[in-house]
Amino acid sequence: DPKIIQKPKYLVAVTGSEKILICEQYLGHNAMYWYRQSAKKPLEFMFSYSYQKLMDNQTASSRFQPQSSKKNHLDLQITALKPDDSATYFCASSQWGSSYEQYFGPGTRLTVL
Amino acid sequence: QQKVQQSPESLIVPEGAMTSLNCTFSDSASQYFAWYRQHSGKAPKALMSIFSNGEKEEGRFTIHLNKASLHFSLHIRDSQPSDSALYLCAVNNSAGNKLTFGIGTRVLVRP
């Protein structure tokens, strides 16, 4: 059974619209993250949450808003979508602490037309 | 801000040969150094990690860290076609859980 679930797997959106990317983890971890990977760029850290509290935000734009309704959920709401937002968005989880391995979900591939 | 760079960009190795990958980082206070492997269309998956200077071996994989030279490496002995993938090095920040990744080295192992 998959331990980190991301929905949907693929998403196509029009410029200016809003979408929510879903992430649930069943590893019993207390920390969750969002990363983004686009062509020709490194896998890029966006947010970290621990015990449902925002710990770090490296996303310059307020159009990206994480939402944690339960301790094993961390969704990502993206508003006013732009073509540059096209990327694969990975959710990850771990125990909180610098020495713990982060486990990645399968990703949501977002295309903005 | 942490900068992580990888070399080479891509590599073709014959089956059975040694694959050697390099990673440099900029923050000398970094504490955690890892290699992730990502097959096409899949999630990155951690291969190995190291915390202190030296070497660590797990099966065919060896990771080597030299903090003074801000460098760590991954060596894959007896490379197999199934090792063909994108290899990402990752370094944690000194304040917590943010992983900074390199852009990756694409490895192709030819039978």
Side-chain angles (χ1 to χ4, degrees):
Chain A
D1 287 336
K3 303 297 187 192
I4 301 181
I5 295 171
Q6 287 191 246
K7 290 185 277 192
K9 188 170 174 60
Y10 300 101
L11 190 54
V12 178
V14 296
T15 297
S17 66
E18 172 183 315
K19 292 293 179 187
I20 296 180
L21 281 54
I22 306 292
C23 178
E24 306 167 14
Q25 59 92 3
Y26 296 94
L27 293 164
H29 291 154
N30 54 33
M32 295 184 71
Y33 317 87
W34 279 101
Y35 288 83
R36 173 171 56 193
Q37 188 175 42
S38 49
K40 307 294 183 187
K41 289 185 181 178
L43 188 59
E44 177 190 14
F45 173 89
M46 299 178 74
F47 300 98
S48 62
Y49 266 67
S50 179
Y51 294 105
Q52 294 185 268
K53 288 185 181 177
L54 178 66
M55 302 302 287
D56 196 356
N57 176 359
Q58 294 291 317
T59 304
S61 172
S62 60
R63 296 187 299 108
F64 295 84
Q65 290 292 328
Q67 299 169 344
S68 180
S69 58
K70 298 181 191 178
K71 66 176 182 180
N72 66 326
H73 283 227
L74 185 65
D75 300 336
L76 181 65
Q77 180 185 38
I78 315 174
T79 57
L81 278 160
K82 303 177 180 180
D84 272 355
D85 298 330
S86 297
T88 299
Y89 290 80
F90 288 101
C91 173
S93 72
S94 74
Q95 297 293 46
W96 181 259
S98 58
S99 60
Y100 293 104
E101 176 184 334
Q102 293 185 16
Y103 294 80
F104 283 75
T108 291
R109 182 178 287 185
L110 172 66
T111 302
V112 183
L113 303 174
Chain B
Q1 187 166 351
Q2 176 84 267
K3 288 188 182 355
V4 177
Q5 294 187 302
Q6 291 188 238
S7 63
E9 282 187 18
S10 62
L11 201 51
I12 300 175
V13 296
E15 185 175 355
M18 175 78 81
T19 299
S20 294
L21 310 174
N22 297 293
C23 186
T24 59
F25 54 97
S26 60
D27 184 355
S28 58
S30 299
Q31 299 167 353
Y32 170 87
F33 308 86
W35 286 95
Y36 280 73
R37 182 162 71 181
Q38 186 178 24
H39 286 107
S40 183
K42 302 291 186 186
K45 185 174 178 182
L47 270 178
M48 290 184 74
S49 60
I50 194 167
F51 301 95
S52 53
N53 274 339
E55 211 169 82
K56 179 177 167 185
E57 183 178 332
E58 290 179 359
R60 296 184 295 113
F61 300 88
T62 302
I63 189 171
H64 182 90
L65 171 64
N66 183 331
K67 284 189 179 181
S69 59
L70 304 175
H71 174 267
F72 65 110
S73 58
L74 178 71
H75 305 276
I76 308 173
R77 180 172 45 85
D78 187 24
S79 300
Q80 300 297 307
S82 57
D83 294 327
S84 298
L86 181 67
Y87 287 78
L88 304 167
C89 65
V91 182
N92 88 316
N93 68 337
S94 49
N97 278 37
K98 172 190 168 186
L99 283 179
T100 302
F101 285 86
I103 199 161
T105 294
R106 193 161 295 281
V107 174
L108 177 62
V109 181
R110 285 241 165 97

